[in-house]
Amino acid sequence: LATINDTLICNIDTLQLTTTGSGNFTWSPNYNISSTTTASPFVSPDVPTKYFVQLTDPFGCFSRDTVFVDVKDHVSLFAGNDTTICRTDGFFLNMVSDALYYKWTPAIYLSSDTAKRPFAKPLTTTTYHVVGNIGKCQSQDDITIKSVPYPAPNAGTDTSLCPGFSTQLHATGGSSY
C-alpha cells in the first residue's frame, strides 16, 4: 500500500488521494471525503486533516498508511525588498512563501521562471512580478532590481613624497572607500 506524500491544499480545493494495491480499502476519518471504501477518494478538508487508510487483502492481511493534508486559506508571499546590484552581478530572489507553484514575469535574465528562488542577473533595472499559488488560491508581489554600472574608481593624481612626510589622498568614483 502506498499513498501520495503529505501535501498542502487551499481550503477551496479538492484533492484526490491516490493509492496502489488491490483489496478492500477503508479510509478514516469520514470527513469531507467522497468515499471511505474506494482506492482513491477525493477529499476537501477545510482544516488540516490526517487521513488513515487500511488495505485488506482476501486472506485478511492488511497494511496501513497515512497522508496529512495541510489546509491554507490564503497564500503568503513576499518577493523581497527592492535592491541594487552592480551590472553583470547576480542576485538570488529570496522570496518567502508557502505557495506550491510560482510564475515569474518577465522571464528575462532569470535562471528559472517557475523556481521559488531563481537567480536574477538583469543588465538593466527590472521589476519582476511573481504569482504563487496553492491550488486555486494565489497571491502576488513585485521586486525591483536596480542594475547600475560598476563605479569608475580614481585614486587621484600621482604625487611624490619625502620620507617622514605625509599627504592627503583624494579618491573619487565610489560611494564608500
Side-chain angles (χ1 to χ4, degrees), residues 12-63:
I12 61 174
D13 290 328
T14 299
L15 171 71
Q16 186 171 24
L17 301 177
T18 57
T19 61
T20 58
S22 59
N24 295 319
F25 290 88
T26 306
W27 288 90
S28 64
N30 187 3
Y31 176 70
N32 291 351
I33 188 168
S34 62
S35 171
T36 59
T37 58
T38 186
S40 298
F42 290 91
V43 296
S44 54
D46 51 7
V47 295
T49 305
K50 183 179 274 193
Y51 289 97
F52 301 87
V53 62
Q54 178 173 305
L55 172 61
T56 307
D57 70 14
F59 305 104
C61 298
F62 62 89
S63 61

Side-chain angles (χ1 to χ4, degrees), residues 22 50 65 78 81 95-96 98-99 104 145 158 166-168:
S22 59
K50 183 179 274 193
D65 203 353
F78 175 62
N81 294 323
M95 180 173 45
V96 177
D98 60 2
W104 291 89
I145 301 176
D158 292 345
S166 63
T167 189
Q168 181 70 42

Side-chain angles (χ1 to χ4, degrees), residues 75 77 79 93 95 97 99-108 110-118 127-134 137-143:
V75 178
L77 187 141
L93 299 175
M95 180 173 45
S97 176
L100 295 175
Y101 304 100
Y102 303 94
K103 182 64 176 171
W104 291 89
T105 53
I108 190 165
L110 287 180
S111 61
S112 169
D113 66 343
T114 58
K116 182 174 184 176
R117 294 183 177 98
T127 297
Y128 291 103
H129 181 76
V130 62
V131 176
N133 44 318
I134 301 171
C137 295
Q138 70 177 21
S139 187
Q140 50 194 318
D141 197 14
D142 293 330
I143 182 172

